Amino acid sequence: MSSSWNSVGLEVLYQVIGWIAFVAWSFSFYPQVVLNYRRKSVVGLNFDFLVLNFTKHSSYLIYNAALFFSPFIQQQYHDKFGDKEMIPVAANDVAFSLHAVALTSFTLYQVFIYERGNQKVSKVCISISAVVWSAAIVCLIVAWPKSNWLWLIDVFNSIQVAMTTVKYIPQ
């Protein structure tokens, strides 16, 4: 038996709340982008936060898109958790993570084109990012031979959770 909603009302509520969250969180990216544009400067913006945020949202996008779009990974999910369990990613999750990567990338682009003073990304941030992405590549190499894609995207989900905490340390 395939998973499905037992209540149309709950499904509608889930969708409405999901898209409200998408709009609210997506809106949060724009004030910084607009401020940077108006000032033609990124002085005062924490570059470490941006780099760590990019790592976080990229990992989240990989997790969301893979689980949402891949029937193979969805089957691995059902094999692990049972056919009655719903896939824990909705269209609004994919839309948000795609939007977050795009806006974070655009903000990083602004760092390169606008006045930034003597600010730069710290060596600690570069090290953290290098370790995280290197570990992700190692996990990809480990997952590849056995097509253990669910495990791999769980790694990316764990990365995004960890980066959510780490990215606020520079603040």
Side-chain angles (χ1 to χ4, degrees):
M1 178 177 175
S2 182
S3 59
S4 66
W5 285 93
N6 293 325
S7 164
V8 173
L10 283 178
E11 181 178 8
V12 169
L13 181 63
Y14 172 80
Q15 291 292 332
V16 168
I17 290 173
W19 285 106
I20 289 171
F22 163 77
V23 169
W25 281 106
S26 293
F27 177 78
S28 72
F29 287 86
Y30 286 92
Q32 186 65 57
V33 169
V34 171
L35 179 65
N36 296 345
Y37 174 76
R38 286 184 179 159
R39 294 174 46 220
K40 303 291 189 252
S41 171
V42 292
V43 172
L45 179 61
N46 190 310
F47 297 171
D48 288 1
F49 178 83
L50 269 181
V51 170
L52 297 171
N53 208 28
F54 180 78
T55 300
K56 182 259 194 244
H57 288 301
S58 297
S59 299
Y60 192 46
L61 176 59
I62 291 166
Y63 171 80
N64 284 333
L67 192 51
F68 187 77
F69 290 113
S70 172
F72 187 81
I73 295 174
Q74 290 174 3
Q75 185 58 53
Q76 287 183 341
Y77 182 87
H78 287 303
D79 290 346
K80 182 175 181 178
F81 297 106
D83 285 338
K84 293 184 180 182
E85 290 298 317
M86 294 182 66
I87 300 298
V89 174
N92 60 281
D93 297 317
V94 177
F96 170 74
S97 55
L98 183 61
H99 180 266
V101 168
L103 266 287
T104 303
S105 297
F106 187 77
T107 308
L108 283 166
Y109 170 72
Q110 289 181 315
V111 166
F112 290 101
I113 65 169
Y114 293 147
E115 170 62 33
R116 63 183 167 277
N118 62 356
Q119 291 177 251
K120 58 185 179 180
V121 178
S122 73
K123 291 178 183 175
V124 171
C125 178
I126 292 168
S127 298
I128 290 169
S129 299
V131 167
V132 166
W133 287 111
S134 296
I137 291 169
V138 169
C139 290
L140 173 63
I141 293 166
V142 169
W144 195 286
K146 294 183 180 179
S147 297
N148 198 351
W149 306 122
L150 182 62
W151 172 79
L152 181 63
I153 66 164
D154 281 342
V155 167
F156 280 102
N157 192 38
S158 297
I159 289 170
Q160 76 91 13
V161 169
M163 296 310 292
T164 297
T165 303
V166 172
K167 74 180 184 175
Y168 289 111
I169 292 172
Q171 299 295 318

